[in-house]
Amino acid sequence: MSEVLARKTEEFNKGLTTVDDLARQVEDLRKKVENFRPGAEDKISIIVFSGDLDKVLAAFIIATGAVAMGMEAVMFFTFWGTPVLRDPKKKAGGKDLMGKMFGFMLPKGRNAIKLSKMNMAGMGTSMMKSLMKKKNVASLDEMLDMAADLGVKIYICDMSMNLMGFKREEFIDYPNMEYVGVATFLEQAKNSKVQLFI
Amino acid sequence: MSEVLARKTEEFNKGLTTVDDLARQVEDLRKKVENFRPGAEDKISIIVFSGDLDKVLAAFIIATGAVAMGMEAVMFFTFWGTPVLRDPKKKAGGKDLMGKMFGFMLPKGRNAIKLSKMNMAGMGTSMMKSLMKKKNVASLDEMLDMAADLGVKIYICDMSMNLMGFKREEFIDYPNMEYVGVATFLEQAKNSKVQLFI
Amino acid sequence: MSEVLARKTEEFNKGLTTVDDLARQVEDLRKKVENFRPGAEDKISIIVFSGDLDKVLAAFIIATGAVAMGMEAVMFFTFWGTPVLRDPKKKAGGKDLMGKMFGFMLPKGRNAIKLSKMNMAGMGTSMMKSLMKKKNVASLDEMLDMAADLGVKIYICDMSMNLMGFKREEFIDYPNMEYVGVATFLEQAKNSKVQLFI
């Protein structure tokens, strides 16, 4: 016992760390840690605003690539991106004139969308599709299956649906799909490491 | 006193945490905390590069939505986004030929911009506008008022103004607007949780 | 010695912080610090999907601006962005028919790309270029030199090269250029403070 006491006293006299000192340091650290802004979650949030084949493909390549790397992925389809998720085999009744017009003018699903450049009356688009097949790049159909398997979350913008007169019953079957407003998407985006507007 | 001493010595002999141990642990923590990269601020930074009605609308919907959620929002208008903020009722003199040409060719403010798709000689654009009214989606005019009320910060890219020959006196009145370079925007963007290029 | 002991005992009896207390606090802090999600690195990651002159310029202005501010910058050229980095003076043999067609139809390097708007059969594009010269805005050639000097890292998407039949020998000489997949880019992007899809 006298040994312990002797050592403690010696430390104290030498000005070594005391309990008081430590308590102050710990309090400083606690304040710093409490005020720390934490980093984002290992997640990617993509706004798919475009309905162009090349951009929608890029969005899916990035989303599925991210999930393959262990990240979470959320895609928010809005504006021109919304009709990409329509199912051409499904129909929705009870639309007003505007809704019918939009339904008619906008592409009916992912196989009806075109390249943003070099579409050349559809020739560029089919060239690209046959090229993707030849080079073993997954098609949009395959991408969507992969996204579903990998658990990519798909959000459809309810304001766009309202504007364009789309009904839920005309969209594809997808395991992880929700109809949400911009706030729900932003909630995810602000907790994500990566956000893209495509 | 002998009680305290007895306990302390017992702890020490049992190999329980000592002041030395604690001091080392606190020092380790301090180093970790000091080297920590803090997360971003609760802010969204949007580059509005596009001057298309649909994309500018999306930018405002996202910015005002973010502020409604308690985030800060900064919009940086550059390239084709710049003329969207011109006030059609204002005029600026002293422009060179190029400046006059750009001033003439680029849309005069937010009510002169068109959809990026399905504009169909303006028909698509006016259809969309009447549709937005019918469906209670805020127009760009209303969006801008809302953004001003909510405190959305607007930056106008000085390089774009210089290139296109725009003068400050031809821009809209907005409570929270600054003319800045890309560095000022990047300073905000890198401290933001979300950044988008629209 | 008796003084020290007296003080310690007094503290203890007064219920002031003891070593046990501190040990508990330090352990709490350690758990918090270990579970902390760190913020991103001081880096910007840009996907250059577009091959339009205005957007590619914007990408370089942002990337070089970021490096000038002390950040790191990575640009990932994909889809229509890929041909922008071709060297018009270089040729690549051994292409199949599709590769030859793409090689012919896509712009041969950064001086062959056009504005996304107001190209007006090339008139708008050359107007913009002469204007940039007059207003002392760096051209794409100068931007690329600057980016190389500043250490901006350029990634070229290997899937796009594969799709479009491009060969490595037809790309520009750039000190800091790699041919990578989307995973390599995402690895950078998720550790970056800013990510943009242009």
Side-chain angles (χ1 to χ4, degrees):
Chain A
M1 187 164 118
S2 63
E3 207 181 299
V4 177
L5 262 180
R7 218 192 76 177
K8 282 198 177 296
T9 313
E10 191 191 1
E11 278 174 14
F12 187 84
N13 291 337
K14 277 190 187 154
L16 292 181
T17 319
T18 65
V19 176
D20 286 4
D21 279 348
L22 269 184
R24 263 189 300 278
Q25 290 179 35
V26 168
E27 180 57 17
D28 280 356
L29 274 178
R30 199 188 53 74
K31 272 184 200 148
K32 267 186 196 154
V33 168
E34 262 167 25
N35 289 319
F36 233 74
R37 295 192 307 267
E41 291 166 23
D42 210 13
K43 196 187 321 192
I44 182 167
S45 295
I46 303 175
I47 301 179
V48 186
F49 175 93
S50 167
D52 298 324
L53 174 60
D54 41 357
K55 293 197 180 169
V56 175
L57 266 172
F60 273 103
I61 290 169
I62 295 168
T64 53
V67 179
M69 284 169 63
M71 297 174 78
E72 250 186 280
V74 185
M75 303 173 86
F76 179 70
F77 284 76
T78 185
F79 275 77
W80 315 109
T82 321
V84 176
L85 296 178
R86 292 203 290 170
D87 185 330
K89 294 184 301 288
K90 292 187 184 171
K91 281 204 166 182
K95 291 192 180 189
D96 60 11
L97 183 67
M98 275 298 209
K100 279 179 190 156
M101 276 180 71
F102 266 105
F104 179 75
M105 290 187 306
L106 289 169
K108 263 212 120 156
R110 63 189 180 274
N111 291 312
I113 61 177
K114 310 281 178 217
L115 288 178
S116 68
K117 308 255 157 182
M118 284 178 47
N119 180 47
M120 301 177 296
M123 204 184 79
T125 297
S126 26
M127 241 177 76
M128 181 61 82
K129 283 183 184 176
S130 73
L131 194 60
M132 284 171 61
K133 206 167 187 172
K134 201 182 136 198
K135 303 273 187 176
N136 284 317
V137 175
S139 70
L140 206 42
D141 279 345
E142 291 161 333
M143 285 284 177
L144 216 84
D145 286 345
M146 218 192 299
D149 283 350
L150 287 167
V152 172
K153 199 181 277 176
I154 288 184
Y155 283 163
I156 300 186
C157 169
D158 54 17
M159 199 201 74
S160 301
M161 289 191 57
N162 174 28
L163 253 185
M164 295 169 173
F166 292 144
K167 311 267 180 182
R168 292 190 182 195
E169 59 260 36
E170 59 187 306
F171 284 88
I172 55 165
D173 298 312
Y174 186 89
N176 213 346
M177 192 154 84
E178 275 177 79
Y179 300 85
V180 305
V182 74
T184 306
F185 173 73
L186 279 173
E187 199 58 61
Q188 298 274 345
K190 74 174 203 165
N191 291 321
S192 299
K193 286 197 173 168
V194 184
Q195 309 89 24
L196 303 172
F197 182 96
I198 297 188
Chain B
M1 188 166 115
S2 63
E3 205 181 300
V4 177
L5 262 181
R7 216 191 77 174
K8 279 195 181 296
T9 314
E10 191 191 4
E11 278 174 15
F12 186 82
N13 290 338
K14 275 190 188 156
L16 292 180
T17 320
T18 65
V19 175
D20 287 3
D21 279 348
L22 268 185
R24 263 189 301 276
Q25 290 179 35
V26 168
E27 178 59 17
D28 280 356
L29 273 178
R30 200 189 52 74
K31 274 184 200 149
K32 266 187 197 152
V33 167
E34 262 165 25
N35 289 320
F36 231 75
R37 295 191 307 267
E41 290 165 24
D42 211 13
K43 197 188 318 192
I44 182 168
S45 295
I46 303 176
I47 301 179
V48 187
F49 175 93
S50 168
D52 298 324
L53 174 61
D54 40 357
K55 292 195 182 171
V56 175
L57 267 172
F60 274 104
I61 290 170
I62 295 168
T64 53
V67 179
M69 283 169 63
M71 297 175 79
E72 251 187 276
V74 185
M75 300 173 87
F76 179 70
F77 284 76
T78 185
F79 275 77
W80 313 110
T82 322
V84 177
L85 296 178
R86 292 203 290 170
D87 185 332
K89 295 184 301 287
K90 291 187 185 172
K91 280 204 167 183
K95 291 194 180 189
D96 59 12
L97 182 66
M98 275 298 209
K100 279 178 191 156
M101 276 179 70
F102 267 105
F104 179 76
M105 290 187 308
L106 289 169
K108 262 208 124 161
R110 62 189 181 275
N111 292 312
I113 61 177
K114 308 282 179 217
L115 288 179
S116 67
K117 308 257 157 181
M118 285 178 48
N119 180 47
M120 301 177 295
M123 204 183 80
T125 298
S126 28
M127 241 176 77
M128 180 62 81
K129 283 182 182 175
S130 75
L131 194 60
M132 283 169 62
K133 204 165 188 172
K134 202 183 135 198
K135 303 274 188 173
N136 284 318
V137 175
S139 70
L140 208 40
D141 279 346
E142 291 161 332
M143 285 283 175
L144 216 84
D145 286 346
M146 217 192 298
D149 283 351
L150 287 167
V152 171
K153 198 180 280 176
I154 287 185
Y155 284 163
I156 300 186
C157 170
D158 54 17
M159 199 201 74
S160 300
M161 290 191 57
N162 175 29
L163 253 185
M164 295 171 174
F166 292 144
K167 312 264 181 189
R168 290 190 184 197
E169 60 261 35
E170 60 187 307
F171 283 87
I172 57 166
D173 297 314
Y174 186 89
N176 211 347
M177 192 155 82
E178 276 178 78
Y179 300 85
V180 305
V182 74
T184 306
F185 173 73
L186 278 173
E187 200 59 61
Q188 298 273 346
K190 73 173 202 166
N191 292 321
S192 298
K193 285 196 175 169
V194 184
Q195 309 90 24
L196 303 172
F197 182 97
I198 295 187
Chain C
M1 190 165 116
S2 64
E3 205 180 302
V4 177
L5 263 180
R7 215 191 77 174
K8 279 195 179 299
T9 313
E10 192 191 0
E11 279 175 14
F12 187 83
N13 291 336
K14 275 191 188 154
L16 292 181
T17 319
T18 65
V19 176
D20 287 3
D21 278 349
L22 268 185
R24 261 189 302 277
Q25 289 179 34
V26 168
E27 180 57 17
D28 279 356
L29 274 178
R30 199 187 53 74
K31 273 184 201 149
K32 265 187 196 153
V33 168
E34 262 165 26
N35 289 320
F36 232 74
R37 293 191 309 265
E41 292 166 22
D42 211 12
K43 196 186 322 190
I44 181 169
S45 295
I46 304 175
I47 300 179
V48 187
F49 176 93
S50 168
D52 297 325
L53 175 60
D54 41 356
K55 293 196 181 169
V56 175
L57 267 172
F60 273 103
I61 290 169
I62 295 169
T64 53
V67 179
M69 283 169 65
M71 296 175 80
E72 251 186 279
V74 184
M75 301 173 86
F76 179 70
F77 283 77
T78 185
F79 274 78
W80 314 109
T82 322
V84 177
L85 296 177
R86 291 203 291 169
D87 186 331
K89 294 185 300 290
K90 290 187 186 171
K91 280 207 165 177
K95 291 193 178 186
D96 60 11
L97 182 68
M98 275 299 211
K100 279 178 189 156
M101 277 179 70
F102 266 105
F104 178 76
M105 290 187 307
L106 289 169
K108 263 210 121 160
R110 62 188 180 274
N111 291 313
I113 61 177
K114 310 278 178 223
L115 288 178
S116 68
K117 308 255 158 184
M118 282 178 51
N119 178 49
M120 301 177 297
M123 206 184 79
T125 298
S126 28
M127 242 177 77
M128 181 60 81
K129 282 182 183 176
S130 74
L131 194 61
M132 283 169 62
K133 206 167 186 170
K134 202 182 137 199
K135 303 274 188 175
N136 284 318
V137 175
S139 70
L140 206 42
D141 279 345
E142 291 162 333
M143 284 285 174
L144 216 83
D145 285 346
M146 216 193 296
D149 283 351
L150 288 167
V152 171
K153 197 180 280 176
I154 287 185
Y155 283 162
I156 300 186
C157 169
D158 53 17
M159 199 200 73
S160 300
M161 289 191 57
N162 175 29
L163 253 186
M164 294 170 173
F166 291 145
K167 312 264 180 186
R168 290 189 183 196
E169 60 260 35
E170 60 188 306
F171 283 87
I172 56 166
D173 297 314
Y174 186 89
N176 211 348
M177 193 154 83
E178 275 178 79
Y179 300 86
V180 306
V182 74
T184 307
F185 172 73
L186 279 173
E187 199 59 59
Q188 298 274 345
K190 73 174 203 166
N191 292 320
S192 298
K193 284 196 175 167
V194 184
Q195 309 90 24
L196 302 172
F197 182 97
I198 296 188

